[in-house]
């Protein structure tokens, strides 16, 4: 057999051996997708994520990593405790048993005056702490059954603070510390509030960490359609929602090629009272229906593309 000066076969040898030439074989390893669940904030509407998670689990879709903000951190930590149908059933039981007093216990001062008192927040976080502890099976983030990252907002420098290790309850409490309603949480010399303030839907974090398939679990609609506010507090909330959705739109537009993003959205209806958990059962069912409809639509669309 003839060859070239550097020891590789000549063209003639390649032609004679054809497709069986070992130096012409190419090994292309199959790269498995890295699936991330991204759970957004949304207060009492977080019940919709419980339905979404339940439907995903029952369809055999499992996260390799989870990223959560605010109530998404609460639900995400519960999922990472037990990502099974039994675990989701337990999470549903916790949510269905909640009322406003569990999460936002009343103080001695009621009505608008409670927002003008000299204290860190309207409500203590003892109630939320008990709720979080009920659904957790791991004390430290690094011990979760599924790796989880939780975002909070620093009051020291205004930046995102990400937690991948350390006490789980403290990180979740910080991420869910809704400004004015729940007190900031001190961790390692930093004072932290709701992660949704700076990154309510942490898609970019998931992609930066290597996710190639991202399931986004929103608590509300994908597109925010504001109404003209009638009260100062409504104006503040509208401005916050506009900011949150503007970032979401930018992040979705910047998704790089090769990354698949599937968005599950919630209903536009919003409880008039942040302490209102009466719609939990309906939100759970709506979340399940949203996942089922979205995934079935995608399967149908792919079938049409292949025809």
């Amino acid at each position: 057999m003839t060859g070239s000066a550097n020891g590789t076969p000549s063209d003639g040898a390649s032609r004679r051996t054809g497709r069986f030439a070992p130096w012409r074989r190419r090994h292309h390893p199959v790269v498995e997708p890295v699936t991330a669940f991204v759970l957004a904030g949304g207060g009492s509407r977080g019940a919709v994520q419980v339905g979404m998670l339940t439907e995903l689990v029952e369809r055999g879709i499992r996260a390799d990593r989870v990223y959560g903000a605010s109530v998404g951190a609460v639900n995400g930590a519960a999922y990472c405790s037990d990502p099974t149908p039994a675990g989701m059933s337990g999470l549903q039981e916790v949510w269905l048993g909640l009322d406003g007093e569990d999460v936002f216990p009343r103080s001695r001062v009621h009505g608008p005056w409670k927002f003008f008192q000299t204290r860190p927040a309207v409500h203590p976080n003892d109630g939320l702490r008990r709720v979080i502890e009920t659904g957790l099976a791991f004390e430290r983030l690094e011990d979760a059954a599924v790796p989880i990252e939780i975002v909070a907002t620093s009051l020291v420098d205004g930046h995102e603070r990400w937690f991948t290790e350390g006490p789980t309850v403290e990180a979740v409490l910080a991420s869910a510390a809704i400004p004015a309603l729940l007190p900031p949480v001190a961790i390692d010399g930093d004072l932290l509030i709701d992660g949704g303030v700076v990154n309510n839907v942490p898609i970019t974090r998931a992609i930066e960490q290597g996710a190639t398939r991202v399931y986004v679990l929103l608590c509300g609609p994908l597109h925010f359609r504001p109404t003209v506010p009638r009260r100062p507090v409504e104006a503040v909330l509208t401005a916050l929602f506009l900011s949150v959705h503007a970032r979401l739109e930018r992040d979705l537009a910047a998704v790089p090629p090769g990354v698949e993003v599937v968005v599950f959205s919630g209903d536009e209806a919003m409880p008039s009272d942040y302490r209102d958990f009466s719609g939990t059962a309906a939100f759970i069912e709506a979340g399940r229906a949203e996942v089922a409809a979205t995934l079935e639509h995608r399967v149908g669309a792919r079938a049409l593309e292949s025809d």
Side-chain angles (χ1 to χ4, degrees):
M1 181 174 67
T2 60
S4 62
N6 61 7
T8 59
S10 67
D11 289 343
S14 297
R15 284 194 294 271
R16 285 194 297 273
T17 54
R19 62 187 179 90
F20 297 103
W23 54 85
R24 293 176 65 86
R25 295 173 185 166
R26 294 291 184 268
H27 178 61
H28 298 287
V30 177
V31 178
E32 294 294 332
V34 176
T35 300
F37 288 0
V38 172
L39 286 80
S44 62
R45 290 195 301 185
V48 76
Q49 293 177 338
V50 179
M52 293 173 178
L53 288 170
T54 300
E55 189 69 21
L56 287 168
V57 168
E58 291 187 358
R59 288 172 176 262
I61 299 174
R62 179 185 170 100
D64 298 306
R65 303 169 187 172
V66 172
Y67 302 84
S70 197
V71 74
V74 178
N75 289 328
Y79 169 84
C80 292
S81 291
D82 186 2
T84 67
M88 297 305 94
S89 178
L91 181 58
Q92 287 190 44
E93 289 181 11
V94 171
W95 269 90
L96 289 169
L98 289 179
D99 61 30
E101 194 66 23
D102 293 323
V103 183
F104 304 107
R106 293 184 185 274
S107 64
R108 289 174 294 177
V109 179
H110 303 306
W113 291 109
K114 63 188 176 184
F115 289 94
F116 295 94
Q117 293 179 299
T118 304
R119 56 178 177 168
V122 172
H123 305 282
N125 61 13
D126 298 348
L128 180 58
R129 179 185 292 274
R130 286 190 290 271
V131 172
I132 295 169
E133 290 173 343
T134 300
L136 280 183
F138 56 98
E139 293 185 1
R140 298 183 63 83
L141 291 170
E142 59 266 35
D143 296 329
V146 179
I148 182 171
E149 298 192 19
I150 291 172
V151 65
T153 302
S154 171
L155 286 179
V156 174
D157 58 19
H159 293 166
E160 298 175 16
R161 174 78 183 273
W162 281 94
F163 293 92
T164 59
E165 59 184 21
T168 305
V169 173
E170 298 306 310
V172 175
L173 273 178
S175 184
I178 303 172
L181 297 183
L182 295 170
V185 176
I187 300 178
D188 297 335
D190 206 349
L191 198 60
L192 303 158
I193 60 172
D194 198 312
V197 172
V198 288
N199 198 350
N200 193 58
V201 193
I203 298 171
T204 52
R205 177 75 175 188
I207 295 173
E208 288 168 357
Q209 298 296 312
T212 56
R213 178 180 297 150
V214 181
Y215 291 101
V216 180
L217 284 63
L218 301 179
C219 296
L222 176 58
H223 303 290
F224 178 57
R225 298 175 179 82
T227 58
V228 178
R230 296 172 298 173
R231 302 178 181 87
V233 67
E234 292 176 357
V236 172
L237 290 174
T238 297
L240 175 61
F241 293 150
L242 285 171
S243 175
V244 165
H245 281 266
R247 169 155 188 177
L248 174 58
E249 290 183 1
R250 291 195 302 272
D251 288 349
L252 287 174
V255 172
V259 176
E260 179 185 13
V261 176
V262 182
V263 179
F264 306 118
S265 59
D267 195 277
E268 293 197 32
M270 185 172 183
S272 57
D273 184 351
Y274 65 88
R275 301 175 78 252
D276 182 6
F277 287 81
S278 63
T280 294
F283 279 134
I284 291 175
E285 289 307 310
R288 296 197 63 155
E290 167 68 8
V291 169
T294 300
L295 294 182
E296 287 163 13
H297 174 76
R298 291 176 65 83
V299 169
R302 286 173 177 169
L304 290 174
E305 290 175 0
S306 62
D307 289 344

